[in-house]
Amino acid sequence: MELSKILFATLKEIPKDAEVVSHRFMLKAGYIRQTASGVYSYLPFGLKLMDNIRRIIKEEMDRIGGQELLLPVLTPKEIWEETGRWKDFGDEMFRVTDRKKREFALSPTHEEIITDLARREIKSYKELPQIWYQIQTKFRDEPRPRSGLLRVRQFEMKDSYSLDTDFEMLNVSYEKHREAYNRIFKRCGLDYAVVKAASGLMGGRKSEEFMAFSENGESNIIVCSSCKTASNSEVARCKLDYEKKDSSPLAEVHTPVEGTIGSIAGFLNVEKSSLMKSILFIVDNEPVFALIPGDREIDEEKLSLVWKEKFRYASEDEIQKFVSAPKGFISPLNNSMKVYADISLEKRNNLISGANRKDYHYTGIDMSRDLKRAVYADLIKINDGDRCLECGGELKVQKTIEIGHIFQLGTKYSEAMQALFIDSEGQRKPIVMGSYGIGLGRVAATIAEQYNDKDGLKWPMSVAPFKVSIIPLNVTEDKQMNGARELYKNLSDIDALFDDRDISPGVKFKDADLVGSPIKVIFGRSFASENKVEIALRKDNSKQLVLLEEAETYLRKTIKEELEKNNAL
């Protein structure tokens, strides 16, 4: 395309809320423009970027036998009520009412819609397995849209669904998607890990996330430096070895110091790990204790998996109301409140916690003896340097961005919505399902997060809106313009960009680096004197002088080699 004819405008002033690299550069380079909070328009450069990501996804989904559909965004309330998610989605779901007062959702996902289609169309085991997919707009009412395309309210997603006769076949479909996702993200040039994850609101029995490494990541994953096992922080566990001691009698001691872990441990001359943090929460309007070792921090994301209902920390007034003691001196001993304890506390003894009155603590707490009602769950945050539960290796916490998520749904939706088929013995059985998602905008932004420098974007060849930027430095010089235009026409099949604007060379160079085309072809002084063009690679700024008659061959070879590096042909 000729740059003078494209909707293209760079920004000098970037909005203050554009904090992450991808957001700043995609605004500055004219890829996107914000319409409202969490809602963006894609300009021509941005749309071509998305088209290239979309093409890769479609090719890999077709490769595993996927059939493309297009499901509605506007979906009736009744379908969501069948699974209970009309209520469960809460404020995250956009809801609208038509002129006849019927309620609809702007779909945040499509499990119910695909299940409704399946129960209408699938009758026999002979029609299974199936893989159906779509690339469709979704809506989620994010409370705090931020980070450009990373957290938005309107977004484009590839979601696919496998339909099988049994769980053995579901494993096959799941593995097909897992391999397809690895090929997709490799072709996009992303540095990522596949991690164990929680299923959350989606439900099901197995779930994995594809997490791309980024300093601006909003999620943490835990990676073992030895066995390379990776897990989402929500499900990651570590090996904790506490010294085993003989049980002591429960006793009450005077602790006239500030009720912090450090103060109590110092006053009693014990390790922080000998203390037990007793934290009071309000869960579904009821007080509930969470217990963790004194040297650890609680992980609220793990709590959300345990309790599912809405929860919050109890206020000081509520602590006084339910326990009659100030914060720092409370515990679940001698009261009937529900108790959830971290699994590392199971069978521990000689622990110390509040005695439910100011300036006093219990010592000699034995979990098996004194807190038999405790329910054990994984509640603690993982720290750098913790030990791997599998091999004992050192764990590292790394920031990441979620780019894909795959679920084994099983029969959760098919049972709720009666999506049944007749098996080979004439029995009616629920379809066994899987769900698999990729957010296209998140992928685009994550690539930008991983491929940039101080001057702008550095797109991998496979997704770049334009693989080559052809830049004549003097548009009034006929030889330059004729040579540049001829090369541009010869490269029309590989997305070449012809900067035919009558502006200074400095601005052309600056814009070319900002928009991130992998290759620049410069018609300058060397062309005038030697008929040579300068070919510069954006990824490392390496440069090569090439005769014009050899330039096309050289460029095609370079592009092919770059695509092959990510197996992107």
Side-chain angles (χ1 to χ4, degrees):
M1 296 181 73
E2 296 176 45
L3 192 51
S4 65
K5 298 177 181 177
I6 303 176
L7 174 57
F8 172 70
T10 60
L11 295 181
K12 293 182 179 179
E13 297 293 330
I14 304 299
K16 292 181 180 179
D17 64 344
E19 298 175 347
V20 300
V21 171
S22 58
H23 193 191
R24 293 200 303 268
F25 279 141
M26 293 182 82
L27 283 171
K28 190 173 183 179
Y31 280 79
I32 58 174
R33 291 290 184 263
Q34 183 169 314
T35 303
S37 178
V39 182
Y40 288 86
S41 296
Y42 288 87
L43 305 190
F45 277 67
L47 190 57
K48 283 185 68 65
L49 169 69
M50 294 288 281
D51 284 343
N52 289 336
I53 295 170
R54 188 181 298 109
R55 172 183 49 79
I56 290 172
I57 291 172
K58 286 168 67 78
E59 287 174 0
E60 295 300 338
M61 289 308 303
D62 292 346
R63 183 173 172 178
I64 64 171
Q67 304 169 69
E68 189 173 10
L69 311 172
L70 189 62
L71 304 173
V73 173
L74 188 66
T75 54
K77 172 184 179 181
E78 291 75 17
I79 287 180
W80 297 93
E81 286 183 320
E82 291 186 58
T83 61
R85 291 210 297 176
W86 180 263
K87 177 182 177 182
D88 291 346
F89 258 108
D91 293 338
E92 192 172 322
M93 178 183 280
F94 280 103
R95 304 160 203 263
V96 297
T97 304
D98 71 8
R99 67 181 66 192
K100 295 182 179 180
K101 307 303 180 184
R102 292 175 299 195
E103 293 183 88
F104 290 80
L106 297 179
S107 292
T109 185
H110 276 80
E111 281 73 27
E112 281 81 356
I113 318 310
I114 207 78
T115 307
D116 178 58
L117 181 65
R119 68 182 171 184
R120 298 168 184 266
E121 303 298 329
I122 302 297
K123 304 302 180 186
S124 166
Y125 73 96
K126 295 179 181 180
E127 299 168 282
L128 298 172
Q130 297 271 346
I131 294 176
W132 297 342
Y133 80 94
Q134 65 168 348
I135 297 176
Q136 175 62 289
T137 302
K138 314 273 189 176
F139 296 87
R140 292 185 186 176
D141 194 0
E142 287 284 352
R144 292 177 299 277
R146 62 186 185 275
S147 304
L149 300 182
L150 291 176
R151 187 166 291 279
V152 293
R153 307 201 316 178
Q154 175 180 322
F155 56 96
E156 193 172 3
M157 175 176 279
K158 188 288 301 178
D159 50 319
S160 56
Y161 304 89
S162 58
L163 311 172
D164 289 290
T165 56
D166 54 39
F167 283 94
E168 184 177 349
M169 292 306 297
L170 170 60
N171 287 333
V172 174
S173 297
Y174 185 89
E175 191 58 31
K176 283 183 178 180
H177 278 85
R178 196 177 193 276
E179 292 174 359
Y181 274 39
N182 278 315
R183 289 193 296 267
I184 288 166
F185 297 134
K186 184 178 179 183
R187 289 179 63 179
C188 289
L190 286 164
D191 181 17
Y192 69 96
V194 186
V195 305
K196 300 174 186 176
S199 296
L201 191 58
M202 298 289 286
R205 51 186 243 166
K206 183 178 180 181
S207 171
E208 290 175 292
E209 290 175 324
F210 293 76
M211 308 296 286
F213 298 104
S214 171
E215 292 181 0
N216 292 316
E218 55 192 6
S219 302
N220 288 332
I221 67 168
I222 314 301
V223 181
C224 175
S225 58
S226 297
C227 68
K228 306 304 180 185
T229 298
S231 298
N232 187 296
S233 60
E234 292 179 348
V235 298
R237 291 177 55 192
C238 65
K239 186 176 183 180
L240 294 178
D241 293 320
Y242 292 113
E243 182 183 353
K244 295 185 182 298
K245 302 177 182 178
D246 293 333
S247 187
S248 300
L250 185 67
E252 189 177 283
V253 298
H254 189 215
T255 51
V257 293
E258 186 183 8
T260 64
I261 293 293
S263 297
I264 301 299
F267 180 79
L268 296 176
N269 195 27
V270 297
E271 296 292 330
K272 291 181 179 179
S273 58
S274 296
L275 274 70
M276 181 173 69
K277 287 183 182 178
S278 299
I279 309 168
L280 190 65
F281 287 87
I282 305 299
V283 183
D284 196 21
N285 297 319
E286 295 293 330
V288 178
F289 270 103
L291 310 179
I292 61 174
D295 61 337
R296 308 298 302 201
E297 297 297 325
I298 202 156
D299 191 318
E300 294 175 21
E301 291 183 343
K302 290 182 177 179
L303 283 180
S304 68
L305 297 179
V306 174
W307 288 332
K308 295 182 174 59
E309 303 99 334
K310 291 182 178 180
F311 65 90
R312 59 177 174 80
Y313 289 93
S315 67
E316 292 190 10
D317 288 343
E318 287 170 325
I319 292 173
Q320 190 67 40
K321 172 185 175 182
F322 291 115
V323 190
S324 300
K327 181 179 178 182
F329 296 92
I330 64 174
S331 79
L333 273 71
N334 296 326
N335 60 57
S336 60
M337 280 177 266
K338 291 181 181 178
V339 179
Y340 287 80
D342 185 70
I343 50 180
S344 64
L345 291 173
E346 191 170 10
K347 297 181 181 180
R348 284 196 66 190
N349 55 22
N350 287 327
L351 292 166
I352 301 166
S353 189
N356 296 322
R357 63 175 178 142
K358 182 174 172 54
D359 294 342
Y360 284 88
H361 275 72
Y362 285 121
T363 62
I365 297 172
D366 185 316
M367 296 296 292
S368 299
R369 181 192 66 202
D370 303 319
L371 284 169
K372 293 180 180 179
R373 71 183 189 278
V375 176
Y376 291 94
D378 182 19
L379 303 179
I380 62 171
K381 283 185 179 178
I382 305 296
N383 300 323
D384 277 332
D386 282 338
R387 312 312 296 183
C388 176
L389 196 64
E390 303 295 329
C391 74
E394 185 175 320
L395 297 177
K396 184 174 179 58
V397 181
Q398 294 186 269
K399 286 187 173 295
T400 56
I401 298 168
E402 180 188 335
I403 50 176
H405 205 155
I406 57 179
F407 302 84
Q408 287 194 359
L409 299 176
T411 58
K412 173 183 175 178
Y413 295 88
S414 54
E415 287 183 348
M417 300 181 66
Q418 290 296 290
L420 309 175
F421 70 96
I422 304 297
D423 70 6
S424 59
E425 297 180 354
Q427 301 295 314
R428 291 171 67 82
K429 292 184 177 179
I431 297 171
V432 181
M433 299 174 62
S435 176
Y436 318 87
I438 295 176
L440 275 70
R442 289 179 71 86
V443 170
T446 303
I447 299 170
E449 288 288 328
Q450 292 189 350
Y451 288 86
N452 65 79
D453 61 16
K454 63 180 179 60
D455 296 318
L457 299 160
K458 302 168 68 171
W459 298 116
M461 192 68 73
S462 58
V463 300
F466 297 97
K467 294 178 173 60
V468 179
S469 287
I470 298 171
I471 307 172
L473 299 186
N474 187 350
V475 298
T476 63
E477 186 178 310
D478 290 343
K479 183 182 178 182
Q480 271 195 31
M481 287 299 287
N482 291 337
R485 193 174 295 279
E486 183 66 23
L487 180 62
Y488 164 66
K489 289 179 179 178
N490 291 341
L491 296 175
S492 60
D493 61 314
I494 60 167
D495 288 328
L497 180 65
F498 181 29
D499 192 348
D500 59 337
R501 297 174 299 169
D502 187 8
I503 57 175
S504 72
V507 174
K508 288 188 175 186
F509 290 147
K510 187 175 181 179
D511 285 350
D513 286 342
L514 179 60
V515 301
S517 295
I519 303 175
K520 296 194 295 280
V521 182
I522 302 164
F523 286 75
R525 294 177 181 175
S526 296
F527 180 69
S529 59
E530 305 175 58
N531 207 43
K532 290 182 178 180
V533 295
E534 181 179 281
I535 297 178
L537 300 185
R538 179 73 179 94
K539 65 176 184 178
D540 58 10
N541 294 320
S542 61
K543 299 174 182 179
Q544 182 76 35
L545 286 175
V546 178
L547 286 168
L548 178 59
E549 57 264 31
E550 299 173 0
E552 182 183 348
T553 301
Y554 183 92
L555 289 167
R556 291 186 182 277
K557 179 175 179 293
T558 301
I559 291 169
K560 184 173 183 294
E561 289 173 349
E562 287 296 312
L563 291 174
E564 287 176 342
K565 288 179 181 178
N566 290 331
N567 191 29
L569 288 179

